[in-house]
Amino acid sequence: MEKARGRRWLVRTLITLGVVAGVFVAAVGGVFAWLWTGADVSTVGKVRFANRMAVPPLAGSTVDKDGTRVFDLRMQTGETEFKDGRPTPTWGFNGGYLGPTLRASRGEQVKVRVRNTLDEASSVHWHGMHLPASMDGGPHQMVPAGGDWAPRWTIGQQAATLWYHPHPHGRTERHVQRGLAGMFLIDDERSKRLALPSRYGVDDLPVVVQDVTFDGAKLDHGRFFLANTGFLGEQTLVNGTLDPYLEVGDELVRLRLLNASTARVYTFGFDDDRSFGLVGTDGGLLEKPATMNRVQLSPGERAEIVVRVRPGERTVLRSHPWRHGNGWEKRFNGGDDSFDVLELRAAKTLRTSPALPAALGAPELPRAEDSVRGRHFELLQSGINRRPMDMGRIDETVVRGTTETWTLRNGGDVTHNFHVHDVQFRVLAVNGKEPEPALRGRKDTVAVPMGTTVTIVLRFDGPADPDTPYMYHCHLLRHEDEGMMGQFVVVDEGQRAGRPPAHAGH
Ligand code: C2O
Ligand code: CU
Ligand code: CU
């Protein structure tokens, strides 16, 4: 009797547990299905293109007695009307949002007088620029609240589309999201003579792409908990303009695309899949234009493209879903997302543009044959080579005037990229294979998707400074802020690395 009752109790308990477990699994599955179906974002077909695209003004400059070109940049708070009549609090350089385009020529000596009127310390880093470490604007060159900083250097590199942005240790994502970023264009003798579209703001346009989410009039920087790359916004801005259109009066337009988003990867193309000519990468012009209909840019990367329009037509620059990546990654880290980024409106009659030149130049690229040393970098969210960033630790010491081969390995389950200060490198191989055309030019940032090994060749020509490090890091700014960054110094042959001040700016 006792036994039978015990068995019945057991059966009842098991059934109850089974039902509870079933309901639990169904609930979790339901929540997951709901998260899954709601996780992708698309603005394709939904954008009204109601606003004329802003073009950042060219920064004015003065020339000193010694010939130095001097720019002024003021970091400030402001308000921006992304939507009519609804001011959003933002930060900018010399204005409410983003900053002017700096422009200088190879061989020129430049100086930038930076003034920080924010109520917190920040810095200004010249992304892609070859310059002395003490002028680099990384976390060791903080500009205190209310303070000044005036770096100077000589432009010693080829024509390129570079950019500038803050780099305060642990706070870069926030400072860039609030609007601190701008372009820095470099010209050289050859680029000035090329028959490429080159009238700034007319047929040669900066296209600074960022993703944002609005909470009323405010920018919302909350992060979806399943997105392990960082903040992913629901809409895109070009040069700070929401829903932008651009009137085009020439047959060929050159777009200098910059992915200034903090975590989002874009796969740019057009709505009708038309092809365009890729003429430049991060650090300058390609040897010759490459024809394609997609170019993928991870945060920090640039591409210069030239696209042909027909009289009277409208075409949309679009970001398409990724070609690579697994299901989870695509769904929760933006790979399935798509955006209508910018509408081009061609005039009824267009000025004729000269045909794209067949040869653009000779990109200065380091050669693998010259490499004297290899280094390996394991890209882990917890820290490159398992070491989270430490301001007081020099991770790598390189000898001035030498060429090295670096292997970048992403064996984890999150997208990363890799950016190196001071140099423009060559991408030698991606998973052992010759890189696609978009990776054959001068690069300072390269995507390293999951399960990928990228080999790059770098040459360190800068002046030696054993005490002041340059950075290398993942340019997904959340990862960088959380410690996915390391420091290297350039020393003279036989010299040892010094000691950086451990708490600069803190
Ligand atoms: Cu664009 Cu270390 O930065
Ligand atoms: Cu940089
Ligand atoms: Cu990363």
Side-chain angles (χ1 to χ4, degrees):
M1 200 58 198
E2 271 299 304
K3 237 187 197 164
R5 208 183 300 146
R7 189 145 6 102
R8 244 178 294 142
W9 178 84
L10 183 67
V11 169
R12 261 205 310 264
T13 308
L14 284 176
I15 289 173
T16 313
L17 279 177
V19 169
V20 169
V23 168
F24 182 74
V25 168
V28 167
V31 168
F32 185 76
W34 175 73
L35 286 173
W36 179 272
T37 46
D40 60 328
V41 174
S42 177
T43 64
V44 168
K46 298 176 196 153
V47 177
R48 289 169 307 115
F49 306 111
N51 307 309
R52 181 193 293 263
M53 182 187 89
V55 176
L58 282 173
S61 59
T62 54
V63 179
D64 265 3
K65 281 189 281 312
D66 69 350
T68 306
R69 184 173 294 286
V70 184
F71 297 96
D72 284 287
L73 283 183
R74 182 189 149 90
M75 309 170 90
Q76 59 177 81
T77 59
E79 277 183 342
T80 306
E81 273 193 34
F82 296 107
K83 302 176 179 177
D84 275 344
R86 313 183 74 181
T88 300
T90 51
W91 288 2
F93 291 98
N94 303 356
Y97 194 78
L98 297 179
T101 298
L102 274 56
R103 187 156 205 172
S105 297
R106 186 176 198 173
E108 263 189 310
Q109 160 108 5
V110 297
K111 172 163 133 185
V112 189
R113 293 192 297 223
V114 176
R115 164 146 272 262
N116 179 5
T117 71
L118 302 171
D119 58 11
E120 61 180 284
S122 190
S123 81
V124 185
H125 166 60
W126 319 103
H127 180 127
M129 194 76 74
H130 176 48
L131 38 46
S134 58
M135 308 297 164
D136 189 44
H140 292 280
Q141 290 89 36
M142 293 299 287
V143 191
D148 299 285
W149 180 58
R152 55 159 70 221
W153 68 94
T154 302
I155 307 273
Q157 67 196 84
Q158 293 186 294
T161 300
L162 311 183
W163 66 301
Y164 60 91
H165 63 79
H167 216 299
H169 185 36
R171 285 170 290 146
T172 297
E173 182 193 43
R174 202 158 50 82
H175 287 205
V176 173
Q177 277 173 338
R178 292 198 173 172
L180 292 173
M183 273 194 179
F184 199 135
L185 307 185
I186 295 179
D187 304 301
D188 62 21
E189 285 312 314
R190 174 149 194 156
S191 75
K192 286 178 189 165
R193 287 197 317 264
L194 275 177
L196 282 176
S198 53
R199 280 165 301 150
Y200 184 83
V202 179
D203 61 357
D204 179 359
L205 295 132
V207 178
V208 180
V209 184
Q210 297 174 297
D211 57 336
V212 288
T213 298
F214 287 95
D215 172 9
K218 286 222 279 305
L219 291 176
D220 173 0
H221 296 132
R223 178 173 63 113
F224 182 51
F225 75 103
L226 288 172
N228 47 16
T229 49
F231 168 80
L232 296 172
E234 293 169 356
Q235 288 174 279
T236 48
L237 301 175
V238 176
N239 303 337
T241 307
L242 193 63
D243 300 350
Y245 70 85
L246 170 73
E247 280 165 346
V248 176
D250 295 85
E251 288 173 343
L252 292 182
V253 216
R254 176 190 197 168
L255 303 176
R256 300 181 187 245
L257 306 172
L258 158 63
N259 181 351
S261 289
T262 55
R264 192 176 275 292
V265 176
Y266 297 99
T267 307
F268 291 111
F270 288 87
D271 54 346
D272 59 357
D273 279 334
R274 74 181 57 194
S275 55
F276 49 81
L278 177 78
V279 295
T281 55
D282 299 339
L285 297 169
L286 295 170
E287 207 176 303
K288 52 181 197 295
T291 305
M292 54 188 66
N293 61 13
R294 292 282 187 279
V295 62
Q296 187 160 327
L297 296 182
S298 68
E301 288 185 290
R302 286 88 66 210
E304 291 186 35
I305 65 171
V306 176
V307 62
R308 175 174 295 275
V309 294
R310 287 175 298 263
E313 74 164 342
R314 293 186 175 193
T315 183
V316 176
L317 175 72
R318 181 171 285 174
S319 177
H320 298 269
W322 300 355
R323 292 162 296 182
H324 316 291
N326 71 21
W328 179 280
E329 178 76 0
K330 282 184 164 171
R331 182 52 51 127
F332 295 114
N333 286 327
D336 285 336
D337 299 353
S338 46
F339 296 91
D340 275 353
V341 176
L342 170 67
E343 185 182 62
L344 304 185
R345 297 184 181 169
K348 294 228 163 47
T349 52
L350 295 167
R351 288 181 286 267
T352 26
S353 307
L356 266 191
L360 299 169
E364 291 164 11
L365 286 164
R367 303 185 319 160
E369 307 86 273
D370 297 332
S371 177
V372 293
R373 163 154 198 183
R375 293 179 207 260
H376 186 88
F377 297 88
E378 199 60 41
L379 305 190
L380 297 160
Q381 221 177 323
S382 56
I384 295 170
N385 289 338
R386 301 187 191 281
R387 286 183 305 215
M389 164 73 170
D390 178 343
M391 298 269 292
R393 184 190 67 227
I394 303 290
D395 297 279
E396 310 291 337
T397 302
V398 306
V399 177
R400 171 177 194 196
T402 63
T403 300
E404 301 196 354
T405 304
W406 290 11
T407 306
L408 318 170
R409 165 87 194 139
N410 180 357
D413 55 4
V414 191
T415 290
H416 296 298
N417 70 6
F418 196 78
H419 167 53
V420 188
H421 288 205
D422 184 50
V423 297
Q424 291 294 333
F425 52 76
R426 176 198 292 267
V427 178
L428 192 63
V430 176
N431 284 335
K433 289 201 244 4
E434 202 202 336
E436 51 178 304
L439 297 178
R440 291 195 199 140
R442 284 158 60 82
K443 295 285 293 168
D444 56 52
T445 307
V446 64
V448 190
M450 293 185 292
T452 306
T453 302
V454 178
T455 323
I456 61 176
V457 186
L458 323 83
R459 187 176 164 84
F460 301 93
D461 281 320
D465 183 345
D467 300 315
T468 314
Y470 295 104
M471 308 294 131
Y472 55 81
H473 57 90
C474 177
H475 217 288
L476 275 64
L477 300 184
R478 159 86 49 156
H479 293 175
E480 173 188 340
D481 283 343
E482 287 173 351
M484 237 188 125
M485 175 152 69
Q487 313 195 94
F488 71 99
V489 287
V490 178
V491 300
D492 276 321
E493 180 92 68
Q495 208 177 19
R496 298 244 307 256
R499 284 182 75 77
H503 298 278
H506 283 250

